[in-house]
Amino acid sequence: MTSYGTAGAEEFDAVVLAGGAARRLGGVDKPGVRVGGRALLDRVLTACSGAATTVVVAEPRPTAHAVVWAREEPPGGGPVAALDAGLRRTTAAHVVVLSADLPFLEQATVRRLLDALRASDAEGALLTDPEGHDQPLVAAYRAAALRRELDRLTTADPGGSRPGEPATGIGRRGLAGLPLRRLVAGLDLTRVRDALASFDCDTWGDIAAARSRIREHGHVLDEWISSAKDELGIDLDVDTAALLDLARDAAHGVARPAAPLTTFLIGYAAAQAGGGPEAVAEAVRKAAALARRWADEAAEAAPDAG
């Protein structure tokens, strides 16, 4: 996978914590709850899909993106133990740490966090919510600083591995049950404000609010496209406005059913040409020119029709 951010070629890894008990949701499998037709976990994995390695700390399950699975010791040992288990399976100097219940997290937010971290001397860059509270599970960190603080909190289990050494699957003593604030308290942090991306789903009311928002007029199209790409296994960014303009021209200049059929043919032609945004753009250009010629001919014939 490719990485992104100001540093360009500089890789980062991601650790997603997805093993909580979700007591405020009645113990339901929260990462699997769907918002906009996609599991919350899949939405988060899409946001950090630029990572070189993405580790999900939870029991394995089907996901829309390839991941490495890890489990804290003991299972259910809390966020610090889970972060330790995930971090053992990463190698990049920078690591994005996320919870699995962020319906509005996007790749742009991950880029902002990484850019803020790389542009500063800080050891971590995290989001703050609308009230100004820190969100340490929507953050980018220097992996060495996290390992240092984990070492500070506990000594290595004799049967386990030290940070940076091959993982044995065995955790470290003393981390289970520790609050995350104990870990991040020793870090030099910078902060990024993003009220929407920091929204997490702790209750059924939160789930309902997220489902309602994505169906609002200004969001529903982007949400649908993202969901469809995940469902179809497509990782392709195209000029949506150009496609919509083409569909409109085909509908008005030819016939209404021409709009969906034309967009289907665009996808097929782009695939035949090798795929990618450039192939889509070229197919759109050709089809749009054809639609305009049809419209011009119809306009020229209009006076004769009377």
Side-chain angles (χ1 to χ4, degrees), residues 30-47 64-65 100 102-106 207 211 214 222-231:
K30 182 164 65 168
V33 172
R34 295 184 180 276
V35 173
R38 288 191 290 166
L40 285 170
L41 175 57
D42 282 338
R43 298 176 73 90
V44 172
L45 293 179
T46 297
H65 300 271
L102 302 165
F104 304 125
L105 185 70
E106 296 182 346
I207 297 290
R211 288 172 171 169
I214 66 169
D222 286 342
E223 286 287 346
W224 168 251
I225 290 171
S226 295
S227 298
K229 289 198 295 186
D230 265 6
E231 192 72 17

CSV table of all heavy atoms in Angstrom, one decimal, residues 30-47 64-65 100 102-106 207 211 214 222-231:
chain,number,residue,atom,x,y,z
A,30,LYS,N,-19.9,-4.0,18.7
A,30,LYS,CA,-19.9,-2.6,18.2
A,30,LYS,C,-19.2,-2.4,16.9
A,30,LYS,O,-19.7,-1.7,16.0
A,30,LYS,CB,-19.4,-1.6,19.3
A,30,LYS,CG,-19.5,-0.2,18.8
A,30,LYS,CD,-19.4,0.8,19.9
A,30,LYS,CE,-18.0,0.8,20.6
A,30,LYS,NZ,-17.9,2.0,21.5
A,31,PRO,N,-17.9,-3.0,16.8
A,31,PRO,CA,-17.3,-2.8,15.5
A,31,PRO,C,-18.0,-3.3,14.3
A,31,PRO,O,-17.8,-2.8,13.2
A,31,PRO,CB,-15.9,-3.5,15.7
A,31,PRO,CG,-15.7,-3.5,17.1
A,31,PRO,CD,-17.1,-3.7,17.7
A,32,GLY,N,-19.0,-4.2,14.5
A,32,GLY,CA,-19.8,-4.8,13.4
A,32,GLY,C,-21.1,-4.0,13.2
A,32,GLY,O,-21.8,-4.3,12.2
A,33,VAL,N,-21.4,-3.1,14.0
A,33,VAL,CA,-22.6,-2.3,13.8
A,33,VAL,C,-22.5,-1.5,12.5
A,33,VAL,O,-21.4,-0.9,12.3
A,33,VAL,CB,-22.9,-1.4,15.0
A,33,VAL,CG1,-24.1,-0.4,14.7
A,33,VAL,CG2,-23.2,-2.2,16.2
A,34,ARG,N,-23.5,-1.5,11.7
A,34,ARG,CA,-23.4,-0.8,10.4
A,34,ARG,C,-24.0,0.6,10.4
A,34,ARG,O,-25.1,0.8,11.0
A,34,ARG,CB,-24.2,-1.7,9.3
A,34,ARG,CG,-23.5,-3.0,9.1
A,34,ARG,CD,-24.2,-3.8,8.0
A,34,ARG,NE,-23.5,-5.1,7.8
A,34,ARG,CZ,-22.4,-5.3,7.1
A,34,ARG,NH1,-21.9,-4.3,6.4
A,34,ARG,NH2,-21.9,-6.5,7.0
A,35,VAL,N,-23.3,1.5,9.8
A,35,VAL,CA,-23.7,2.9,9.6
A,35,VAL,C,-23.5,3.2,8.1
A,35,VAL,O,-22.4,3.0,7.6
A,35,VAL,CB,-22.8,3.9,10.5
A,35,VAL,CG1,-23.2,5.3,10.1
A,35,VAL,CG2,-23.1,3.6,11.9
A,36,GLY,N,-24.6,3.5,7.4
A,36,GLY,CA,-24.5,3.7,6.0
A,36,GLY,C,-24.2,2.4,5.3
A,36,GLY,O,-23.5,2.4,4.2
A,37,GLY,N,-24.6,1.3,5.8
A,37,GLY,CA,-24.4,0.0,5.1
A,37,GLY,C,-23.0,-0.6,5.4
A,37,GLY,O,-22.7,-1.7,4.9
A,38,ARG,N,-22.1,0.1,6.1
A,38,ARG,CA,-20.8,-0.4,6.4
A,38,ARG,C,-20.6,-0.6,7.8
A,38,ARG,O,-21.0,0.2,8.6
A,38,ARG,CB,-19.7,0.6,5.8
A,38,ARG,CG,-19.6,0.6,4.3
A,38,ARG,CD,-18.4,1.4,3.9
A,38,ARG,NE,-18.6,2.8,4.2
A,38,ARG,CZ,-17.5,3.7,4.1
A,38,ARG,NH1,-16.3,3.2,3.9
A,38,ARG,NH2,-17.7,4.9,4.4
A,39,ALA,N,-19.9,-1.7,8.2
A,39,ALA,CA,-19.5,-1.9,9.6
A,39,ALA,C,-18.6,-0.7,10.0
A,39,ALA,O,-17.8,-0.2,9.3
A,39,ALA,CB,-18.8,-3.2,9.8
A,40,LEU,N,-18.8,-0.3,11.3
A,40,LEU,CA,-17.9,0.8,11.8
A,40,LEU,C,-16.5,0.5,11.7
A,40,LEU,O,-15.7,1.3,11.3
A,40,LEU,CB,-18.3,1.0,13.3
A,40,LEU,CG,-19.6,1.7,13.6
A,40,LEU,CD1,-19.9,1.6,15.1
A,40,LEU,CD2,-19.5,3.2,13.2
A,41,LEU,N,-16.1,-0.8,11.9
A,41,LEU,CA,-14.7,-1.2,11.7
A,41,LEU,C,-14.2,-0.9,10.3
A,41,LEU,O,-13.1,-0.4,10.1
A,41,LEU,CB,-14.5,-2.6,12.1
A,41,LEU,CG,-13.1,-3.2,11.9
A,41,LEU,CD1,-12.0,-2.4,12.6
A,41,LEU,CD2,-13.0,-4.6,12.3
A,42,ASP,N,-15.0,-1.3,9.3
A,42,ASP,CA,-14.6,-1.1,7.9
A,42,ASP,C,-14.5,0.4,7.6
A,42,ASP,O,-13.6,0.7,6.8
A,42,ASP,CB,-15.6,-1.8,7.0
A,42,ASP,CG,-15.5,-3.3,6.9
A,42,ASP,OD1,-14.4,-3.8,7.2
A,42,ASP,OD2,-16.4,-4.0,6.6
A,43,ARG,N,-15.3,1.2,8.2
A,43,ARG,CA,-15.2,2.6,7.9
A,43,ARG,C,-13.9,3.2,8.4
A,43,ARG,O,-13.2,4.0,7.7
A,43,ARG,CB,-16.4,3.4,8.6
A,43,ARG,CG,-17.8,3.0,8.0
A,43,ARG,CD,-18.9,3.7,8.8
A,43,ARG,NE,-18.9,5.1,8.4
A,43,ARG,CZ,-19.7,5.6,7.4
A,43,ARG,NH1,-20.4,4.7,6.7
A,43,ARG,NH2,-19.7,6.8,7.1
A,44,VAL,N,-13.5,2.7,9.6
A,44,VAL,CA,-12.2,3.1,10.1
A,44,VAL,C,-11.0,2.6,9.3
A,44,VAL,O,-10.0,3.3,9.0
A,44,VAL,CB,-12.1,2.7,11.6
A,44,VAL,CG1,-10.7,3.0,12.1
A,44,VAL,CG2,-13.1,3.5,12.4
A,45,LEU,N,-11.1,1.3,8.9
A,45,LEU,CA,-10.1,0.7,8.1
A,45,LEU,C,-9.9,1.5,6.7
A,45,LEU,O,-8.8,1.6,6.2
A,45,LEU,CB,-10.4,-0.7,7.8
A,45,LEU,CG,-10.3,-1.6,9.1
A,45,LEU,CD1,-10.6,-3.1,8.7
A,45,LEU,CD2,-8.9,-1.6,9.7
A,46,THR,N,-11.0,1.9,6.2
A,46,THR,CA,-10.9,2.7,4.9
A,46,THR,C,-10.1,4.0,5.2
A,46,THR,O,-9.3,4.4,4.4
A,46,THR,CB,-12.3,3.1,4.4
A,46,THR,OG1,-13.0,1.8,4.0
A,46,THR,CG2,-12.2,4.0,3.2
A,47,ALA,N,-10.4,4.7,6.3
A,47,ALA,CA,-9.7,5.9,6.6
A,47,ALA,C,-8.2,5.7,6.8
A,47,ALA,O,-7.4,6.7,6.5
A,47,ALA,CB,-10.3,6.5,7.9
A,64,ALA,N,-13.3,-5.4,5.1
A,64,ALA,CA,-13.2,-4.9,3.7
A,64,ALA,C,-11.7,-4.7,3.3
A,64,ALA,O,-11.5,-4.6,2.1
A,64,ALA,CB,-14.0,-3.7,3.5
A,65,HIS,N,-10.8,-4.6,4.2
A,65,HIS,CA,-9.4,-4.4,3.9
A,65,HIS,C,-8.5,-5.4,4.6
A,65,HIS,O,-8.9,-5.9,5.7
A,65,HIS,CB,-9.0,-3.0,4.4
A,65,HIS,CG,-9.8,-1.9,3.7
A,65,HIS,ND1,-9.4,-1.3,2.5
A,65,HIS,CD2,-10.9,-1.3,4.1
A,65,HIS,CE1,-10.3,-0.4,2.2
A,65,HIS,NE2,-11.2,-0.3,3.1
A,100,ALA,N,-12.4,1.7,17.0
A,100,ALA,CA,-13.1,1.1,15.8
A,100,ALA,C,-14.6,1.7,15.7
A,100,ALA,O,-15.4,1.1,15.1
A,100,ALA,CB,-13.2,-0.4,16.0
A,102,LEU,N,-15.6,5.1,14.9
A,102,LEU,CA,-15.5,6.5,14.4
A,102,LEU,C,-16.2,6.5,13.0
A,102,LEU,O,-15.5,6.4,12.0
A,102,LEU,CB,-14.0,6.9,14.3
A,102,LEU,CG,-13.3,6.8,15.6
A,102,LEU,CD1,-11.8,6.9,15.3
A,102,LEU,CD2,-13.7,7.9,16.6
A,103,PRO,N,-17.5,6.8,12.9
A,103,PRO,CA,-18.2,6.7,11.7
A,103,PRO,C,-17.8,7.8,10.7
A,103,PRO,O,-17.9,7.6,9.4
A,103,PRO,CB,-19.6,6.9,12.0
A,103,PRO,CG,-19.6,7.6,13.3
A,103,PRO,CD,-18.4,7.2,14.0
A,104,PHE,N,-17.2,8.9,11.1
A,104,PHE,CA,-16.9,10.0,10.2
A,104,PHE,C,-15.4,10.3,10.0
A,104,PHE,O,-15.0,11.3,9.4
A,104,PHE,CB,-17.6,11.3,10.7
A,104,PHE,CG,-19.1,11.2,10.9
A,104,PHE,CD1,-19.7,11.5,12.1
A,104,PHE,CD2,-19.9,10.7,9.9
A,104,PHE,CE1,-21.0,11.3,12.3
A,104,PHE,CE2,-21.2,10.6,10.0
A,104,PHE,CZ,-21.8,10.9,11.3
A,105,LEU,N,-14.6,9.3,10.5
A,105,LEU,CA,-13.2,9.5,10.2
A,105,LEU,C,-12.9,9.3,8.7
A,105,LEU,O,-13.4,8.4,8.1
A,105,LEU,CB,-12.4,8.4,11.0
A,105,LEU,CG,-10.9,8.5,11.0
A,105,LEU,CD1,-10.4,9.7,11.7
A,105,LEU,CD2,-10.3,7.2,11.6
A,106,GLU,N,-12.0,10.1,8.2
A,106,GLU,CA,-11.7,10.0,6.8
A,106,GLU,C,-10.1,10.0,6.6
A,106,GLU,O,-9.4,10.4,7.5
A,106,GLU,CB,-12.3,11.2,6.0
A,106,GLU,CG,-13.8,11.3,6.0
A,106,GLU,CD,-14.3,12.4,5.2
A,106,GLU,OE1,-13.6,13.3,4.9
A,106,GLU,OE2,-15.6,12.4,4.9
A,207,ILE,N,-25.4,6.0,17.4
A,207,ILE,CA,-25.5,5.3,16.2
A,207,ILE,C,-26.6,5.9,15.3
A,207,ILE,O,-26.5,6.1,14.1
A,207,ILE,CB,-25.9,3.8,16.5
A,207,ILE,CG1,-24.7,3.1,17.2
A,207,ILE,CG2,-26.2,3.1,15.2
A,207,ILE,CD1,-23.5,2.9,16.4
A,211,ARG,N,-26.3,7.6,11.6
A,211,ARG,CA,-27.1,7.1,10.5
A,211,ARG,C,-27.9,8.2,9.8
A,211,ARG,O,-28.1,8.2,8.6
A,211,ARG,CB,-27.9,5.9,10.9
A,211,ARG,CG,-27.2,4.6,11.2
A,211,ARG,CD,-28.1,3.6,11.8
A,211,ARG,NE,-27.4,2.3,11.9
A,211,ARG,CZ,-27.8,1.2,12.6
A,211,ARG,NH1,-29.0,1.3,13.2
A,211,ARG,NH2,-27.2,0.1,12.6
A,214,ILE,N,-25.5,10.8,7.7
A,214,ILE,CA,-25.0,10.4,6.4
A,214,ILE,C,-26.1,10.4,5.3
A,214,ILE,O,-25.8,10.4,4.1
A,214,ILE,CB,-24.3,9.1,6.5
A,214,ILE,CG1,-25.3,8.0,6.7
A,214,ILE,CG2,-23.2,9.0,7.5
A,214,ILE,CD1,-24.8,6.6,6.5
A,222,ASP,N,-21.6,11.1,-1.3
A,222,ASP,CA,-20.2,10.7,-1.0
A,222,ASP,C,-20.2,9.4,-0.1
A,222,ASP,O,-19.4,8.5,-0.3
A,222,ASP,CB,-19.5,11.8,-0.2
A,222,ASP,CG,-19.1,12.9,-1.1
A,222,ASP,OD1,-19.0,12.7,-2.3
A,222,ASP,OD2,-18.8,14.0,-0.6
A,223,GLU,N,-21.2,9.3,0.8
A,223,GLU,CA,-21.3,8.1,1.7
A,223,GLU,C,-21.6,6.9,0.8
A,223,GLU,O,-21.1,5.8,1.0
A,223,GLU,CB,-22.4,8.3,2.7
A,223,GLU,CG,-21.9,9.3,3.9
A,223,GLU,CD,-21.0,8.6,4.8
A,223,GLU,OE1,-20.8,7.4,4.7
A,223,GLU,OE2,-20.3,9.3,5.6
A,224,TRP,N,-22.6,7.1,-0.1
A,224,TRP,CA,-22.9,5.9,-0.9
A,224,TRP,C,-21.8,5.5,-1.8
A,224,TRP,O,-21.5,4.3,-1.9
A,224,TRP,CB,-24.1,6.3,-1.8
A,224,TRP,CG,-24.4,5.3,-2.9
A,224,TRP,CD1,-24.2,5.4,-4.2
A,224,TRP,CD2,-24.9,4.0,-2.7
A,224,TRP,NE1,-24.5,4.3,-4.9
A,224,TRP,CE2,-24.9,3.4,-4.0
A,224,TRP,CE3,-25.3,3.2,-1.6
A,224,TRP,CZ2,-25.4,2.0,-4.2
A,224,TRP,CZ3,-25.7,1.9,-1.8
A,224,TRP,CH2,-25.7,1.3,-3.1
A,225,ILE,N,-21.0,6.4,-2.4
A,225,ILE,CA,-19.9,6.0,-3.2
A,225,ILE,C,-18.9,5.3,-2.4
A,225,ILE,O,-18.3,4.2,-2.8
A,225,ILE,CB,-19.3,7.3,-3.9
A,225,ILE,CG1,-20.3,7.8,-5.0
A,225,ILE,CG2,-18.0,6.9,-4.5
A,225,ILE,CD1,-19.9,9.1,-5.5
A,226,SER,N,-18.6,5.8,-1.2
A,226,SER,CA,-17.6,5.1,-0.3
A,226,SER,C,-18.0,3.7,0.0
A,226,SER,O,-17.3,2.8,0.0
A,226,SER,CB,-17.3,5.9,0.9
A,226,SER,OG,-16.7,7.2,0.6
A,227,SER,N,-19.3,3.6,0.4
A,227,SER,CA,-19.9,2.3,0.7
A,227,SER,C,-19.8,1.3,-0.5
A,227,SER,O,-19.4,0.1,-0.3
A,227,SER,CB,-21.3,2.4,1.2
A,227,SER,OG,-21.4,3.2,2.4
A,228,ALA,N,-20.2,1.8,-1.6
A,228,ALA,CA,-20.2,0.9,-2.8
A,228,ALA,C,-18.7,0.5,-3.2
A,228,ALA,O,-18.5,-0.7,-3.5
A,228,ALA,CB,-20.8,1.7,-4.0
A,229,LYS,N,-17.8,1.4,-3.1
A,229,LYS,CA,-16.4,1.0,-3.4
A,229,LYS,C,-15.9,-0.1,-2.4
A,229,LYS,O,-15.2,-1.0,-2.8
A,229,LYS,CB,-15.5,2.2,-3.3
A,229,LYS,CG,-15.7,3.2,-4.5
A,229,LYS,CD,-14.5,4.2,-4.6
A,229,LYS,CE,-14.4,5.1,-3.5
A,229,LYS,NZ,-13.3,6.1,-3.7
A,230,ASP,N,-16.2,0.1,-1.1
A,230,ASP,CA,-15.9,-1.0,-0.1
A,230,ASP,C,-16.5,-2.3,-0.5
A,230,ASP,O,-15.9,-3.4,-0.4
A,230,ASP,CB,-16.3,-0.5,1.3
A,230,ASP,CG,-15.1,0.1,2.0
A,230,ASP,OD1,-14.1,0.3,1.4
A,230,ASP,OD2,-15.3,0.4,3.2
A,231,GLU,N,-17.8,-2.2,-0.8
A,231,GLU,CA,-18.5,-3.5,-1.1
A,231,GLU,C,-18.0,-4.2,-2.3
A,231,GLU,O,-18.0,-5.4,-2.4
A,231,GLU,CB,-20.0,-3.1,-1.2
A,231,GLU,CG,-20.9,-4.3,-1.2
A,231,GLU,CD,-21.1,-5.0,0.1
A,231,GLU,OE1,-20.7,-4.4,1.2
A,231,GLU,OE2,-21.6,-6.2,0.2
